[in-house]
Amino acid sequence: MDKLLIRGGRQLRGEVLISGAKNAALPELCAALLTGQPVTLHNVPRLQDVSTMLKLVRNMGVSAERDDNGTVRLEAGDLSNPEAPYELVKTMRASVLALGPLLARFGHAKVSLPGGCAIGSRPVDQHIKGLQAMGAEIVVEHGYMIASLPAGRTRLKGARILTDMVTVTGTENFLMAAALAEGETLLENAAQEPEIVDLAEMLIRMGAKIEGHGTSHIRIQGVEKLHGCEHAVVADRIEAGTFLCAVAATGGDVFLRHARADHMDAVIDKLRDAGCTVAAQEGGVRISSSAPACEHLKAQSFSTTEYPGFPTDMQAQFMALNVIARGASMVTETIFENRFMHVNEMVRLGATIHVEGKVAMVEGVQQLSGATVMATDLRASASLVIAGLVADGETLVDRIYHLDRGYDRMEAKLRGLGADIERISGAAA
Ligand code: EPZ
């Protein structure tokens, strides 16, 4: 298993290119299933999860070619195998996003239940509830969701969908299913993330009739057919937020090219409250911060919540900043039930953190000291890299396959900003 070796204490300076968003690219690759015509996606990030999704759609019979410039060309003619097998779904929950498009276009689908993951049970009951409201018949057998249309029906039907909680991929499945359904679908408590807006914009380019995307109420008029399109994946606000927290922690001055400040209000507000200078500039976002953080930054309390609130996907990374900032802070995780697994690893680096249920109480310390730590999930990995960048001495982050799922060449980008970080391949380690 690959590891990252980090020697802390360097400030970060220069410019970094923010890649396309993982959580937009994944549903958009599935959206290509909605038409038999060619679909071209630009700015697709080079990530393990994207490779897994390409394997999944190719396994169904989709032709999918990726070039070296981040462009993926897909063509989902008649699929030989409209199925998402357990072997692939167990490695990536986002495979559930195949369910809506397959059902909408082919009238049937067989998708493995994703099973749990490190950060929580993450059921898909709301996906099933919403698609059943659209007329789908879904049974769960031997760990698979077997979905079909009732006899005599060739299309899903529009429906009013109100889920028990806001669900990002649930909203995405409903958007894709409703685009080809008969009649109107109204999503009453839709997710509002920028990745939802980006998917809706791609579907509209394919001929879908959608309005209200980006708000909690989305209205979709189904059409009979969708055509191909060309679309560029929106920049990754979580990758950008991760780099903002890294610069805040180490000190320095960095321009994040392609980052969208308007997608990161909650995080940028907290960084400014902490004492960083963050400015939207032509083509990106610039951050400058003084070191050491314990003298110049004030720790910030926050609670994660649905967009546009503070993102759960930024909780671990901002905690890494609080750990070495001045004062006490309270971090509350309201979305997932087990998203504090980075805490024990940070304590090994010298952090002072106490967890009580959904709340982590952090006491800022003057200095962390390098150690060997273990990544447990995608964003926890990123928070350990940030902690390693400021720790005194060497930090070895193990199991960074978690990091590779969602970050496009992170160590190369950090080295480009002056960090002392290198990948040690599993074979050599
Ligand atoms: C998406 O996951 C993201 N993944 C996650 O990013 C992100 O953390 C999450 O949204 C919340 O913002 C992708 O977009 C591929 P949810 P998703 O459905 O859609 C519960 C990352 O680090 N729920 O919005 O799976 C669920 O358990 C990843 O990039 C149900 O109970 O999240 C959670 O508590 C991690 N039943 C809450 O709702 C359901 O059917 C929100 O989950 C669906 C969800």
Side-chain angles (χ1 to χ4, degrees):
M1 273 184 251
D2 286 7
K3 306 172 195 299
L4 284 181
L5 177 60
I6 306 165
R7 294 177 188 85
R10 299 274 191 90
Q11 296 202 15
L12 299 179
R13 294 188 186 289
E15 177 172 317
V16 64
L17 188 66
I18 298 302
S19 302
K22 166 176 84 79
N23 291 349
L26 294 177
E28 290 168 4
L29 288 166
C30 290
L33 296 168
L34 290 166
T35 178
Q37 295 186 10
V39 167
T40 300
L41 282 178
H42 299 293
N43 199 32
V44 178
R46 286 170 9 149
L47 305 172
Q48 185 53 49
D49 273 7
V50 167
S51 301
T52 303
M53 189 62 90
L54 287 173
K55 202 184 294 180
L56 182 71
V57 297
R58 285 176 181 139
N59 186 54
M60 295 178 191
V62 175
S63 79
E65 300 307 322
R66 172 164 58 179
D67 71 14
D68 292 341
N69 307 316
T71 293
V72 176
R73 288 177 177 78
L74 303 108
E75 196 161 335
D78 282 335
L79 298 192
S80 50
N81 179 29
E83 166 169 337
Y86 177 65
E87 298 68 49
L88 290 173
V89 175
K90 72 180 178 187
T91 66
M92 185 187 62
R93 295 177 39 73
S95 310
V96 72
L97 287 165
L99 184 59
L102 289 176
L103 194 51
R105 175 140 173 258
F106 299 100
H108 58 94
K110 183 179 175 189
V111 175
S112 167
L113 282 169
C117 90
I119 63 178
S121 60
R122 301 184 71 188
V124 290
D125 57 306
Q126 302 298 309
H127 296 241
I128 294 173
K129 172 183 167 184
L131 292 171
Q132 285 173 333
M134 296 178 74
E137 291 177 345
I138 302 180
V139 294
V140 176
E141 269 173 17
H142 306 301
Y144 278 80
M145 293 178 278
I146 316 286
S148 59
L149 297 181
R153 283 199 63 83
T154 58
R155 291 169 75 186
L156 291 166
K157 63 183 188 331
R160 175 181 170 275
I161 299 176
L162 177 67
T163 47
D164 297 354
M165 78 293 290
V166 174
T167 160
V168 172
T169 49
T171 300
E172 289 163 347
N173 248 332
F174 305 149
L175 266 179
M176 293 189 279
L180 285 177
E182 192 174 351
E184 179 177 83
T185 296
L186 185 57
L187 306 186
E188 300 272 19
N189 60 341
Q192 304 178 47
E193 275 73 0
E195 293 77 30
I196 304 273
V197 173
D198 202 56
L199 171 64
E201 286 171 355
M202 173 187 171
L203 292 170
I204 289 167
R205 283 207 178 93
M206 295 172 72
K209 295 183 175 16
I210 300 171
E211 54 188 33
H213 40 296
T215 75
S216 56
H217 285 67
I218 304 179
R219 190 181 298 272
I220 306 107
Q221 296 294 344
V223 295
E224 295 224 351
K225 267 194 183 307
L226 291 172
H227 49 74
C229 78
E230 196 156 349
H231 179 76
V233 178
V234 67
D236 195 320
R237 62 191 167 95
I238 304 300
E239 182 193 26
T242 304
F243 276 96
L244 290 176
C245 287
V247 180
T250 61
D253 189 328
V254 171
F255 179 67
L256 288 74
R257 182 160 301 285
H258 295 163
R260 294 274 303 265
D262 59 323
H263 290 171
M264 300 189 281
D265 286 337
V267 173
I268 290 176
D269 285 353
K270 286 294 175 186
L271 287 168
R272 286 176 175 149
D273 291 349
C276 300
T277 304
V278 187
Q281 290 184 347
E282 178 62 34
V285 176
R286 181 166 178 191
I287 180 169
S288 57
S289 185
S290 308
C294 61
E295 283 174 24
H296 297 274
L297 296 185
K298 187 175 175 313
Q300 296 299 309
S301 294
F302 62 89
S303 288
T304 64
T305 183
E306 294 89 2
Y307 192 88
F310 194 99
T312 174
D313 292 350
M314 281 300 305
Q315 179 255 105
Q317 299 92 306
F318 207 103
M319 187 187 287
L321 179 54
N322 278 345
V323 153
I324 43 126
R326 196 175 61 250
S329 56
M330 200 162 79
V331 174
T332 307
E333 173 56 60
T334 71
I335 303 291
F336 292 112
E337 65 267 30
N338 188 32
R339 206 168 195 177
F340 282 144
M341 283 173 298
H342 43 284
V343 167
N344 290 333
E345 299 303 308
M346 286 187 186
V347 168
R348 300 195 65 251
L349 293 169
T352 305
I353 310 171
H354 178 66
V355 174
E356 287 280 345
K358 286 181 174 292
V359 179
M361 298 298 298
V362 183
E363 189 63 44
V365 294
Q366 301 260 338
Q367 179 67 51
L368 296 176
S369 59
T372 297
V373 289
M374 188 173 72
T376 51
D377 62 271
L378 169 55
R379 307 305 174 182
S381 324
S383 72
L384 296 175
V385 170
I386 293 172
L389 290 171
V390 296
D392 179 38
E394 290 190 350
T395 294
L396 192 63
V397 183
D398 199 356
R399 300 192 180 183
I400 55 156
Y401 59 85
H402 290 292
L403 194 76
D404 293 337
R405 291 191 50 185
Y407 288 95
D408 185 349
R409 291 159 292 178
M410 179 186 257
E411 76 271 10
K413 293 185 177 183
L414 285 169
R415 228 185 353 262
L417 296 174
D420 182 346
I421 179 171
E422 59 184 301
R423 179 180 289 254
I424 300 176
S425 70

